[in-house]
Each structure stands twice: as structure tokens, then as C-alpha cells.
Amino acid sequence: MSKVFNLLDGELDREEEKPGFRNRRAQVGALLGAELLGATIYETPPGEKLWPYHWELGCEEFLVVVAGTPTLRTPEGERVLAPGDLVAFPEGGAGAHQLRN
């Protein structure tokens, strides 16, 4: 039987507590039994950033906003996102990004 993780109320079982970069998360790909899918759901407290400004090498990344209005920083500047927004980040510097709640 296929495994299921509920996006709206699934348990976030890991925490990051670095100053300025706090979050709770669940590594959904692994919880679903996926071997090649790197999917994670994050919850970031107000005033915190998800990760430092960064980009990926060897893969692309995408974001789905489930709730809230995070601020996205990219090489083009900053903009506020809304629930339901999807954003793709290409490999390398052109896909640099950071999220702040």
C-alpha cells in the first residue's frame, strides 16, 4: 500500500535551531519511501529565515507556499508570496534564493 503524508496536518518531526534560521520540518520524500525525491515541508516562525541565501548545483529546486506570506529573495530582488504560489529555482546562481517569514 502507498504511504501518505498530509500536507496540512502531517507531523513536523525535525527542528532547526540556528539563530535566525529556525524551522520545523518533515522530510516528506523519505517518509513516503521515495529514494530519489527530495521533498521537505517547512514551518518557519515569524521573523526567521528558512536558510541562508543559496543555490543548488546538480539539481533544480521548487517551492510551494501552503500557508502564510513569506518574502522571497532572488537575484531580481524581493517579493511577497501567497498561499498557492509555486516558484522554480534553476540550477546555479540564477536560481539563488532565500525565504523569510
Side-chain angles (χ1 to χ4, degrees):
M1 179 182 263
S2 297
K3 296 179 181 181
V4 174
F5 180 90
N6 187 286
L7 185 63
L8 301 177
D9 66 7
E11 182 181 354
L12 305 181
D13 59 357
R14 302 182 75 191
E15 291 191 38
E16 182 79 29
E17 287 289 337
K18 295 179 182 173
F21 299 100
R22 291 182 24 224
N23 66 70
R24 293 183 335 124
R25 64 184 178 273
Q27 293 179 295
V28 179
L31 291 173
L32 296 176
E35 295 181 17
L36 301 175
L37 177 64
T40 305
I41 184 167
Y42 295 94
E43 178 183 85
T44 305
E48 299 288 332
K49 296 173 184 165
L50 184 55
W51 296 108
Y53 190 65
H54 71 285
W55 61 84
E56 308 299 328
L57 293 177
C59 66
E60 296 177 319
E61 191 171 26
F62 79 97
L63 162 74
V64 177
V65 179
V66 177
T69 54
T71 299
L72 172 64
R73 175 184 169 203
T74 66
E76 290 82 35
E78 291 189 350
R79 66 178 174 221
V80 176
L81 301 176
D85 284 346
L86 285 86
V87 183
F89 307 109
E91 177 183 23
H97 60 282
Q98 180 181 50
L99 286 166
R100 180 179 75 245
N101 184 8

